[in-house]
Amino acid sequence: MTKLLISTNTIPEEWDETTYLCNNPDVAKAIQLGIFSSGYDHFKKHGYYEKRSAASHKQNVVSQKFHFIEDYRNLVRNLMEQYPLDEAMSRAIGGNFVAWGQIEKQLLIHFGLLPNHTLIDIGCGSGRLAKAMIPYLKNGTYLGTDIVDELLDYAKKDCPFNWQFQNVENISIPYPSKCADFCVFFSVFTHLLPEEIYCYLIEAQRVIKDDGMIIFSFLEYSQNWDVFEATYSNILSGKSNVHLNTFIGRDAIECWTDRLGLSIVSITAGNKPFILLPQPVSLDDGRVIEGLQAFGQSVCALKKSSAATFPKAISPIATPPKFTSPEVTKVPAIPASLSEQLRIIDNAQDAAFLYVFKSCEASTIPEDMVYLSHVGKNGEAGYITLANGNPKAVSSGATGGYSIRLPHQIETAASGHRITVSVIARAASRDQSSFAVAYSTNEVGNSGWRWFNAGPEWSIYTMEYNVPVMKEGRGDFVGVLPDKEGNPGTEFYCLAITIS
């Protein structure tokens, strides 16, 4: 190990703070507690003598600088001369600073961002996402990059001291490999050349974990014609455009991801409302927005091909009824008649959440419950059998049945609304069996067990429940309870939730 020259006041230029903290999470925690001022502070006091690896910064980057740096810097400085600081910082990133920060935050939560995750925000600007994340990313880490120092200085104000903001003038992400949960590009690829976008995707693929996600927004002609029209109108009238506006075809995204070993989780059109705001948000003009919102630009979510699906049996769909996404409408085949399969598909299209019982992938399964997995002959999803339920099982908390933890966005969407739980099931080996379903808020109430008698054919069984308004949001659960020991078991294919 090469010994570093230790200065008591400065961190050496070759020191890579991010890599050291990623390799030593105990040090990162100690910094949060105020025990050390930095990873370098720990290294010079203890890490060197503990033979921890020093972190020298070595990274392959694209050396070519962005083509618009000076134009953007001049724009920001002109705004700062014309307006008060807060207004200038909002105008620099398009206005509605607070509202768009909340929209971006909820978009990422929709895709699974958790409070302990590591988030990289490329083109962070003046920090609208960073500010929105302060109360949420409590145990996580954040890196924001941009090309304008004035924006970065404003962005870092009031943020946790261990969050990082860096000026990056080339196509690189100053972060170690496989250490980030999310790498996001909001309104970044909209101003880059296709070749620059591809280089950034190479970097993003490097920094995300094997189960990490890349999220980016982009312009499409069908969704953003007004942007294209304004751009070409400026050219016709002899006016200069402040920056490049780049439109991306979905065929380009498919080509890029195929060559990079990435997979497309979803692409959502810019005019499609799918981002749920749990609280009303005010715009600069005084209008208030709430509920489901569209992003304005199309949004693409990517994962590495080896981890391109959402966690096993849980669907990512988090929208109210009538939102028909490929993740919802693709219902795998089961051993049922064609007419029944059509009923299943029709039902799933209206679902806000779809769970396929395929290999007993529950949040919890009681120790005494009998469960079997049946895989389809041709490799299709199959179904499961549950039996030997506890007649004293509680319907509260995570429930005492086969318990399914619902995504946070479903919990938020269901709060204060009437939900319908539909289960596709049939009796196992006999003419009839019994089973129960319960919806639990784990906080402010539950539906109690609702019992059904299942016949020998696949059928849809439904229950309704008026979900109380959540308080802290401790996680909603759906429990499934088979009949008691000695009685027939029940076979389950899928469960769907609609919200009205």
Side-chain angles (χ1 to χ4, degrees), residues 214-263:
I214 301 169
I215 308 291
F216 66 87
S217 64
F218 64 102
L219 298 173
E220 292 190 276
Y221 290 108
S222 59
Q223 306 294 321
N224 307 105
W225 182 256
D226 58 328
V227 177
F228 183 75
E229 187 174 42
T231 303
Y232 80 70
S233 296
N234 284 342
I235 295 173
L236 291 176
S237 61
K239 298 179 181 179
S240 61
N241 289 295
V242 175
H243 47 62
L244 176 70
N245 288 318
T246 300
F247 289 73
I248 304 175
R250 298 193 183 196
D251 59 332
I253 297 174
E254 292 173 359
C255 183
W256 295 339
T257 55
D258 181 60
R259 282 160 173 75
L260 289 172
L262 296 168
S263 292

Side-chain angles (χ1 to χ4, degrees), residues 40-58:
Y40 181 67
D41 179 36
H42 171 271
F43 179 77
K44 67 184 182 181
K45 291 179 179 177
H46 302 286
Y48 175 76
Y49 305 102
E50 295 171 356
K51 299 188 182 300
R52 302 199 190 205
S53 296
S56 60
H57 186 65
K58 296 180 180 179

